[in-house]
Amino acid sequence: KKYEVHSIESQLEVVKNNIKAQKQLSLYVHIPFCQHRCKFCEYVVLDNPKPTDQDEYVRHLLKEIDLYKPIIKDIPIVGYDLGGGTPCILSIDNIKKITDKLRTTFNFKRGVSFSIETTPIIAAKELEKITAVRQLGYDRISMGFQTVNASLLAMLEREGSTHIYDKAVENIRKAGFKRLNIDLMYGFASQSNDDFRSTVKYAISKNPEYITLYRNRYKGTKLEAEAGAVSLHK
């Protein structure tokens, strides 16, 4: 019970004290929008948002940044990620508003990497947007291949293919990104070791600077009923 905080005033006090105790901070800004929610998704995400939904969210986000200004003050910011969801689903104008607001509000340490997430579909089809994102100062970009197995992708309700992935990587390099991360997932009930091995080999062949592996966690996803078919020991 002593760890529970219920009132808004008490919650704010906990946040303030926690932040004040830090010598440096990393910022994560969440964009809760995706074109479609994949079956494995466990995050706070809204499907197929209207442009007006995105504009309204960004307006409130900018206000929230102002609320943190007197709390964070001049504590050095040593990392920053615009994540989601799919941040690149936003218009460049909205991404610029967020980026400019953060830069003028917080004390970013010199040389801090600005990281953003996209989907292969956006990267493959919207070179102009990916280029504009790079020009805003984002120097690291991350996207999820998850798997190259076409039937597994269809089951997961995720659009993807090696053709799309090839084009996405090509456009990301054209846009000037020299730091690319590829996300891969494992632990699906219908995923074989050979499937995962092929996916890893393919991802390596794209020469990303980073590859991040995520275990499917089932709880709170559309795949939750399949959790019993998977063990951490096999």
Side-chain angles (χ1 to χ4, degrees), residues 98-109:
I98 295 168
T99 308
D100 290 347
K101 183 69 171 180
L102 291 169
R103 280 200 174 104
T104 57
T105 301
F106 300 120
N107 175 28
F108 283 90
K109 192 171 181 179

Side-chain angles (χ1 to χ4, degrees), residues 31 33-35 81-90 95 115-127 129-131 133 138 140-146 158-159 164-165 168-169 171-172 175 177 179-183:
I31 305 301
F33 301 124
C34 280
Q35 195 64 42
D81 179 51
L82 186 60
T86 308
C88 281
I89 202 173
L90 295 178
I95 296 175
S115 183
I116 193 168
E117 298 171 20
T118 185
T119 61
I121 293 294
I122 291 175
K125 294 183 176 180
E126 301 185 51
L127 173 58
K129 176 181 280 190
I130 298 301
T131 301
V133 166
Y138 291 85
R140 182 183 184 275
I141 191 164
S142 180
M143 63 178 170
F145 286 2
Q146 317 310 2
R158 183 174 181 85
E159 188 175 2
I164 291 171
Y165 300 158
V169 172
N171 282 351
I172 282 171
F177 282 94
R179 301 179 66 201
L180 166 64
N181 173 72
I182 293 174
D183 291 338

Side-chain angles (χ1 to χ4, degrees), residues 28 48 155 172 220:
Y28 171 77
N48 196 23
M155 185 278 289
I172 282 171

Side-chain angles (χ1 to χ4, degrees), residues 7-224:
S7 72
I8 293 177
E9 292 78 11
S10 297
Q11 291 171 12
L12 182 59
E13 198 62 29
V14 168
V15 171
K16 284 182 177 179
N17 291 336
N18 186 289
I19 290 176
K20 287 178 180 178
Q22 309 307 313
K23 293 182 179 179
Q24 57 186 30
L25 294 169
S26 289
L27 291 181
Y28 171 77
V29 177
H30 186 70
I31 305 301
F33 301 124
C34 280
Q35 195 64 42
H36 179 76
R37 186 184 185 92
C38 302
K39 280 190 173 181
F40 57 76
C41 183
E42 61 177 331
Y43 301 112
V44 179
V45 168
L46 301 176
D47 292 67
N48 196 23
K50 300 175 183 177
T52 52
D53 296 331
Q54 299 176 44
D55 292 344
E56 183 177 4
Y57 181 82
V58 171
R59 282 197 298 272
H60 286 287
L61 176 59
L62 299 181
K63 291 180 180 179
E64 185 176 8
I65 291 171
D66 280 331
L67 292 176
Y68 274 97
K69 183 175 181 178
I71 301 174
I72 293 178
K73 297 181 180 178
D74 290 326
I75 297 176
I77 305 300
V78 297
Y80 161 57
D81 179 51
L82 186 60
T86 308
C88 281
I89 202 173
L90 295 178
S91 66
I92 282 299
D93 183 55
N94 275 329
I95 296 175
K96 185 177 187 303
K97 286 179 181 178
I98 295 168
T99 308
D100 290 347
K101 183 69 171 180
L102 291 169
R103 280 200 174 104
T104 57
T105 301
F106 300 120
N107 175 28
F108 283 90
K109 192 171 181 179
R110 179 174 293 184
V112 170
S113 178
F114 276 38
S115 183
I116 193 168
E117 298 171 20
T118 185
T119 61
I121 293 294
I122 291 175
K125 294 183 176 180
E126 301 185 51
L127 173 58
E128 185 177 341
K129 176 181 280 190
I130 298 301
T131 301
V133 166
R134 179 68 188 93
Q135 291 171 349
L136 285 175
Y138 291 85
D139 58 356
R140 182 183 184 275
I141 191 164
S142 180
M143 63 178 170
F145 286 2
Q146 317 310 2
T147 179
V148 296
N149 183 308
S151 60
L152 182 55
L153 283 167
M155 185 278 289
L156 296 173
E157 297 180 359
R158 183 174 181 85
E159 188 175 2
S161 69
T162 53
H163 173 72
I164 291 171
Y165 300 158
D166 289 348
K167 187 63 177 177
V169 172
E170 178 186 335
N171 282 351
I172 282 171
R173 296 309 190 187
K174 279 184 179 178
F177 282 94
K178 299 189 184 321
R179 301 179 66 201
L180 166 64
N181 173 72
I182 293 174
D183 291 338
L184 305 178
M185 293 188 71
Y186 66 95
F188 298 109
S190 56
Q191 183 182 43
S192 70
N193 289 339
D194 286 341
D195 287 341
F196 185 63
R197 188 178 296 109
S198 296
T199 295
V200 172
K201 286 182 177 179
Y202 173 76
I204 292 172
S205 76
K206 296 293 99 183
N207 297 312
E209 282 65 44
Y210 317 91
I211 294 177
T212 305
L213 304 181
Y214 291 94
R215 175 170 59 87
N216 182 41
R217 292 186 283 199
Y218 287 96
K219 186 176 181 180
T221 74
K222 296 177 182 178
L223 299 174
E224 191 165 0

